[in-house]
Amino acid sequence: MISSSYSGISINDPDELIDSIKKVHTKVPLTGKKTNELLALKDKQLQYLIAAIRNTPQIPENWSEDEWKEWLATLIPHRILSLLALHISTWEEKFRPPDFIYSRLIKEFHQAAIKSVLIDHQLLNLSSIFEKEKIEVIIVKGVALARSIYPDTATRISCDIDLFVQPENIKNLENILENLGYRCPEHTFDISPDIFQEEVFFTPKNMANIDIHWSIDRNFSLFDQDWLDKAFISKQLIQYNNFNFFTFNPINHLEYLAFHHIFQHDSMTFDWIMDIAYLFPKLTIEDWKIITKKSAMDNVRISLELALIIASLWSGVSLPENYNNFSNWPVPSQKEQKIMTFAKNHSIYLMSFIHIIHALKNRNDKISHIYYYIFPPKGLLYKYRKSDSILDIPCAYIRRWISFIKYF
């Protein structure tokens, strides 16, 4: 917990802001070739980045060409260049970076805009089919947020479309997608819907892959079993261009994003940070009253605090006055505190395995899960395959086992 050091998020002093950002990312690191690689930039480079994120024009320092290239290179993994391009394009020329950097940002925006149009067509086609087949689907994360809270869909591009579906609709949805040409090597729902929580359908063309989810959290059971059922009941309708779609309401979406971005991943990207930054101002005061208590009951109280702090520091968006002191929020549950001690380190993978084994009541199910963990079905080896030859399967097992050494 870091509540005591962050009773207020608004920080005006640039040096203090940079120090606070570096401190919080010791707990939740940023992605890159190396952990927190971006934070190795000079403070002035970070301050210009913050200005671009917040859309507050700032005259850049007289950096060398190599320093500008370094600044750009560290941002590429964060998938935020198109958002920076939109902001900086409205600035006077004296505030903009050199032409070779600015032109790259504009190119990123144009490419993102093209990809956004392609996803629009894909969503339009899918949503009409889902509606015709009477399959209730909730679209979440980047694709949904880009079309509901971002200033332009090109500023939040995703490589996949995340869908939540009730378990009873999975098989029907699988058949529909496979008839459309999508390919799912894993079919984890068939292996065990009680252990796995998602499966990926790869696109047949130049489109986004589709991730189908039927559970929020199978690994640790942080959420109550009826969380998703309630989320379907309280889903939010988004009216977008030529079609409508449903997504989580702001409270549930914020909880899910905090859990997904902070708890489930080893590092964080700027597009995820901006998801939080754009979403939490959508909450009303009544919503804040609910989420402070609900996050503790749903065991995402710590994750939510970290997510809100990080989003506030980078984006400058402030929490409501009565809710910016986290020491006044409900105390996280003992269960969450215990599990969070393993988050952000490799022990969490072992703990997840142990938790699943413990949760399985039937002895045969335990043995089956251990066997599948060591010798997964061929479909689960696709990440480790280097050819379609049957002779490559033993090698794929070995590659998978080697990859686990770093976790255990």
Side-chain angles (χ1 to χ4, degrees):
M1 294 291 290
I2 57 175
S3 305
S4 58
S5 301
Y6 291 89
S7 58
I9 301 300
S10 298
I11 299 175
N12 296 319
D13 180 74
D15 294 330
E16 184 183 352
L17 176 59
I18 297 298
D19 288 343
S20 297
I21 285 174
K22 290 180 177 180
K23 180 179 178 180
V24 75
H25 284 301
T26 61
K27 293 183 175 290
V28 185
L30 293 168
T31 195
K33 293 181 180 179
K34 298 179 181 179
T35 300
N36 283 332
E37 176 188 28
L38 185 140
L39 298 181
L41 293 174
K42 294 179 180 179
D43 285 359
K44 292 295 184 182
Q45 291 174 299
L46 291 174
Q47 288 168 9
Y48 188 76
L49 170 60
I50 293 170
I53 290 173
R54 298 183 176 190
N55 199 13
T56 53
Q58 175 178 308
I59 297 177
E61 298 285 318
N62 187 25
W63 303 329
S64 67
E65 181 175 331
D66 286 342
E67 287 175 322
W68 274 112
K69 288 180 178 179
E70 179 188 29
W71 182 83
L72 184 69
T74 58
L75 288 174
I76 290 174
H78 290 275
R79 304 184 294 267
I80 197 179
L81 295 183
S82 59
L83 178 62
L84 302 185
L86 180 66
H87 290 170
I88 294 175
S89 67
T90 65
W91 297 1
E92 295 180 31
E93 188 172 350
K94 64 180 179 180
F95 298 114
R96 295 175 182 172
D99 287 342
F100 72 95
I101 296 292
Y102 181 63
S103 61
R104 171 64 185 276
L105 294 177
I106 296 302
K107 180 180 179 181
E108 290 287 336
F109 182 85
H110 290 160
Q111 291 176 341
I114 294 171
K115 189 170 185 179
S116 173
V117 172
L118 293 175
I119 291 180
D120 281 351
H121 286 296
Q122 188 177 0
L123 287 173
L124 175 60
N125 182 46
L126 290 172
S127 62
S128 62
I129 294 174
F130 297 157
E131 183 178 357
K132 180 180 178 181
E133 296 294 328
K134 294 181 169 45
I135 297 179
E136 192 176 16
V137 168
I138 292 180
I139 304 175
V140 298
K141 293 168 59 179
V143 167
L145 297 175
R147 287 152 183 80
S148 56
I149 62 175
Y150 270 78
D152 190 294
T153 55
T155 58
R156 181 52 168 99
I157 289 298
S158 299
C159 297
D160 50 31
I161 299 172
D162 287 275
L163 308 177
F164 272 91
V165 186
Q166 295 284 27
E168 61 268 22
N169 289 324
I170 290 292
K171 298 308 297 179
N172 191 11
L173 184 59
E174 285 180 342
N175 292 332
I176 290 171
L177 292 177
E178 288 176 341
N179 287 335
L180 291 172
Y182 290 87
R183 178 177 57 88
C184 180
E186 295 181 318
H187 274 288
T188 51
F189 187 81
D190 290 337
I191 298 171
S192 177
D194 296 322
I195 293 175
F196 299 101
Q197 58 193 33
E198 63 181 316
E199 58 187 18
V200 181
F201 279 79
F202 293 94
T203 174
K205 300 176 182 178
N206 186 25
M207 297 186 293
N209 296 330
I210 298 178
D211 287 5
I212 298 178
H213 307 255
W214 57 86
S215 173
I216 292 292
D217 169 32
R218 292 295 192 202
N219 293 335
F220 297 97
S221 302
L222 288 171
F223 294 88
D224 287 339
Q225 291 185 352
D226 63 350
W227 190 95
L228 189 58
D229 293 332
K230 292 178 179 178
F232 266 88
I233 294 172
S234 61
K235 63 185 180 297
Q236 182 180 37
L237 175 65
I238 302 297
Q239 296 178 315
Y240 172 77
N241 286 356
N242 297 325
F243 64 93
N244 300 333
F245 65 90
F246 286 102
T247 189
F248 287 152
N249 69 36
I251 292 176
N252 289 332
H253 220 150
L254 191 56
E255 276 198 339
Y256 175 64
L257 291 179
F259 165 72
H260 180 80
H261 297 341
I262 300 295
F263 184 86
Q264 287 190 305
H265 287 269
D266 293 330
S267 58
M268 203 172 193
T269 56
F270 271 116
D271 57 346
W272 293 353
I273 292 172
M274 296 311 295
D275 287 348
I276 304 292
Y278 279 119
L279 183 61
F280 78 74
K282 301 297 181 182
L283 271 65
T284 65
I285 293 299
E286 187 61 33
D287 289 337
W288 282 106
K289 291 179 182 178
I290 295 172
I291 201 169
T292 52
K293 298 178 181 179
K294 190 174 186 295
S295 62
M297 292 188 297
D298 291 333
N299 297 306
V300 291
R301 161 70 178 76
I302 301 172
S303 295
L304 184 60
E305 175 177 340
L306 289 167
L308 293 176
I309 288 171
I310 291 169
S312 296
L313 290 172
W314 283 106
S315 72
V317 179
S318 299
L319 279 72
E321 184 176 353
N322 294 333
Y323 299 95
N324 62 3
N325 188 338
F326 293 100
S327 62
N328 294 331
W329 284 41
V331 177
S333 68
Q334 290 295 320
K335 177 179 181 179
E336 183 188 5
Q337 292 186 57
K338 180 181 179 180
I339 293 178
M340 279 298 293
T341 60
F342 293 90
K344 301 302 171 189
N345 66 65
H346 297 319
S347 301
I348 199 167
Y349 296 95
L350 177 59
M351 188 178 179
S352 171
F353 176 77
I354 294 173
H355 176 83
I356 291 174
I357 293 297
H358 180 73
L360 293 171
K361 304 301 182 184
N362 186 287
R363 178 184 174 185
N364 290 336
D365 287 343
K366 294 178 187 288
I367 295 173
S368 177
H369 181 63
I370 294 172
Y371 177 82
Y372 278 135
Y373 197 82
I374 300 173
F375 299 103
K378 185 171 65 175
L380 293 179
L381 292 173
Y382 75 94
K383 293 180 182 178
Y384 307 96
R385 298 287 298 274
K386 291 189 175 180
S387 77
D388 294 331
S389 171
I390 192 171
L391 298 177
D392 185 56
I393 293 178
C395 297
Y397 279 120
I398 295 173
R399 294 184 196 107
R400 183 174 180 271
W401 297 335
I402 292 174
S403 72
F404 282 176
I405 292 175
K406 65 178 181 178
Y407 296 136
F408 299 105

